Every structure is written in C-alpha cells, then in structure tokens.
Amino acid sequence: MASCILGCLLGSSVSSWVTQEGVSDSLWRGAFAGGAIVGVVGMFMRLRLTEISAVSLVLQGAPKTASLQRVLLYNAGAFWTQVGIGGFIGAMFYTMFSFVNLYLCTFKGWSLSQALNMTTSGMIVYVIACPISGWLSDRWSPQRVMTWGAGLTLLLVYRCFLLFDTGVWGNVLWAQIMLSILAALYQGPSNFLFAQLFPTSVRYSGVGIGYALGVAIFGGTTPMILTSLASSGTLTWPVGYVMMLVLLGGWITVRARPQHHLLQEKSMNNPL
C-alpha cells in the first residue's frame, strides 16, 4: 500500500509541474520513460522474491481446483466483505485525489496545476497518517480503528465538502487534510484485516480479486458519479452518495468476521 501511495504522490507531483505554463509540452514523454525504468526494476525485484516456507507448504498441499472457485465455495462471505471494504477504500481515495481535482477545475476555476498541488499536499498527509493508523490497530484492533474511521468520516464529510465548495485555498487545504486523515484511519489497518479474512491457501485470490473488484466498481465510478451529481448546482447529492458509501463500508466492517491465526493454523493441516 505504501508503494502505491508513494507512486501516486510522485505522479501527482510531476503532473503539477509539467502542467504549469511555460513548461515544454514534450515533457510528458518523460513519464513514459520513467515508467519503463520502474517496470524493469519492479520485474527484477519480483523475480528475486521467494515465498515464505510455511506458505509454500500450504500452497503445495492445496487442491488443484481454481483458487477463485474455492474462495466462492468456502469463503463467499469473506470474499464479499473484501469487495465491500475495497469499494469503500477506492471510493474515498478517488474522491480525495480525483473528484476534488475535477470539482476545483470545473466548478471553481482552479488551474490543473493548482489542483494537483492540493492533491499532492493531501497525499503527503495520507502517507504520514496511514502508518499511525496501523500502529493504532496494533494497540486495539484493525476492525475497531476502521470502524472509528468510518464513523468519523460520516460525521465530517459534509463539512469537508462545504469547505471545498468555498474554493478558498486555505479552506480547501484544511478539507483535504481532514479527508486524508479520515481515509487513512480506515485504510491503514485494512491489510491487517484482509489477512485475517481468508485461510492461507486462498488468501492471495480472495484478497486480490475481491479488493480489485471493489475498487473497480465503486472507486472507479465515483469521480464520474460525483461530478454528474455536482453539476446539479448543489453538493447535497454528491455528499449524500459519499455518505451512503460510508454507511455501507462501516456496516460491512462491523459485520466482518476475522478468523485470526486459528484458521491459518487449521489451513496448514487442511487447506479447506
């Protein structure tokens, strides 16, 4: 997660620079060259990674049926929980770092460079806040911290949108900081909870597919939906949509049934 956020932070920083007036239009090609280098380095690192011996033993002894099939047959509840939590995380992330840019540029007359600078500021706060929320989950539990994150988001998200609507730099910055902290409270401990939802033999498939599906369905569509709702001239509808997702994410988190280390130990002897 940290690497993903740092990548987004780097991309936002570079974008805010190359979109400024007076900067050569040809600099966008540099992003492709940089991406190619990062891709080669990432491939080299992945090829050198080795599986933990205990996990390798579990995977070797697992049935040869498709992992997704086993997830849906034996862990359907955990899978749909994963989809719901991933959807809420994606919706919050795309609201902060995509919709806000669109809203400021389209409805408040900000330049793209100004909006991206604001996004970069929010990402810096987000990167700092995520490890702190992870530390809090070690003291209490990931489920409790995530529930608090959802509850506080429900209370404060309307205030954040009102600050965005002013279009004033200081107000927008304060709203972006608040949303970044609230999102980090929910997302910071999420990977800890994800690992507790599935037995080892299907954990990669359950977490990976469930999370990607949730982010694609709810996160990917959120900027489009919020922008369409904001075009009505009021923020009531966009805020209502976000609050609906917050309620859904909080409810799913409360009802999640982490299986902790007991199921992992059981899966070592019997993957199913």
Side-chain angles (χ1 to χ4, degrees), residues 232-243:
S232 64
T234 175
L235 284 177
T236 301
W237 291 109
V239 173
Y241 180 78
V242 173
M243 292 179 73

Side-chain angles (χ1 to χ4, degrees), residues 34-93:
I37 295 173
V38 171
V40 172
V41 173
M43 182 177 66
F44 175 77
M45 294 174 63
R46 180 64 185 90
L47 291 174
R48 294 179 64 87
L49 289 177
T50 56
E51 296 285 357
I52 300 174
S53 57
V55 176
S56 299
L57 290 173
V58 171
L59 296 178
Q60 289 173 7
K64 300 305 181 182
T65 53
S67 295
L68 179 58
Q69 179 183 349
R70 286 187 285 128
V71 168
L72 295 177
L73 284 175
Y74 300 100
N75 304 95
F79 177 78
W80 294 115
T81 296
Q82 178 72 63
V83 172
I85 294 176
F88 177 51
I89 290 174
M92 285 297 295
F93 187 87

Side-chain angles (χ1 to χ4, degrees), residues 9-267:
L9 178 59
L10 177 61
S12 177
S13 301
V14 173
S15 298
S16 65
W17 174 57
V18 300
T19 54
Q20 294 178 5
E21 293 184 6
V23 177
S24 174
D25 293 338
S26 62
L27 281 179
W28 63 268
R29 296 180 177 85
F32 289 91
I37 295 173
V38 171
V40 172
V41 173
M43 182 177 66
F44 175 77
M45 294 174 63
R46 180 64 185 90
L47 291 174
R48 294 179 64 87
L49 289 177
T50 56
E51 296 285 357
I52 300 174
S53 57
V55 176
S56 299
L57 290 173
V58 171
L59 296 178
Q60 289 173 7
K64 300 305 181 182
T65 53
S67 295
L68 179 58
Q69 179 183 349
R70 286 187 285 128
V71 168
L72 295 177
L73 284 175
Y74 300 100
N75 304 95
F79 177 78
W80 294 115
T81 296
Q82 178 72 63
V83 172
I85 294 176
F88 177 51
I89 290 174
M92 285 297 295
F93 187 87
Y94 279 94
T95 296
M96 294 183 299
F97 303 130
S98 181
F99 167 71
V100 171
N101 286 345
L102 292 171
Y103 184 76
L104 293 175
C105 293
T106 304
F107 299 100
K108 296 301 170 182
W110 284 39
S111 68
L112 181 58
S113 178
Q114 288 176 314
L116 288 170
N117 281 330
M118 188 62 63
T119 297
T120 301
S121 302
M123 285 186 178
I124 292 173
V125 175
Y126 190 74
V127 168
I128 296 172
C130 274
I132 296 175
S133 65
W135 174 77
L136 291 174
S137 70
D138 287 336
R139 292 181 59 87
W140 293 296
S141 72
Q143 203 166 359
R144 181 177 298 181
V145 176
M146 291 170 69
T147 302
W148 271 100
L152 290 172
T153 302
L154 187 65
L155 291 175
L156 297 174
V157 67
Y158 182 64
R159 177 61 179 169
C160 291
F161 270 69
L162 289 179
L163 292 174
F164 286 134
D165 193 43
T166 65
V168 178
W169 188 89
N171 290 343
V172 173
L173 177 62
W174 177 233
Q176 188 74 289
I177 290 173
M178 281 197 294
L179 271 187
S180 297
I181 294 173
L182 292 171
L185 275 177
Y186 192 86
Q187 183 159 359
S190 62
N191 289 327
F192 188 2
L193 179 63
F194 295 163
Q196 298 174 350
L197 293 176
F198 300 93
T200 311
S201 59
V202 295
R203 185 172 297 153
Y204 289 163
S205 298
V207 173
I209 298 174
Y211 183 82
L213 190 61
V215 171
I217 293 175
F218 296 99
T221 59
T222 292
M224 178 185 65
I225 293 173
L226 293 183
T227 303
S228 177
L229 293 174
S231 63
S232 64
T234 175
L235 284 177
T236 301
W237 291 109
V239 173
Y241 180 78
V242 173
M243 292 179 73
M244 180 189 69
L245 294 178
V246 172
L247 285 171
L248 180 61
W251 178 75
I252 291 174
T253 303
V254 170
R255 292 185 58 84
R257 294 294 179 263
Q259 303 174 64
H260 304 292
H261 64 283
L262 296 177
L263 187 53
Q264 180 176 347
E265 292 177 357
K266 178 181 177 182
S267 67

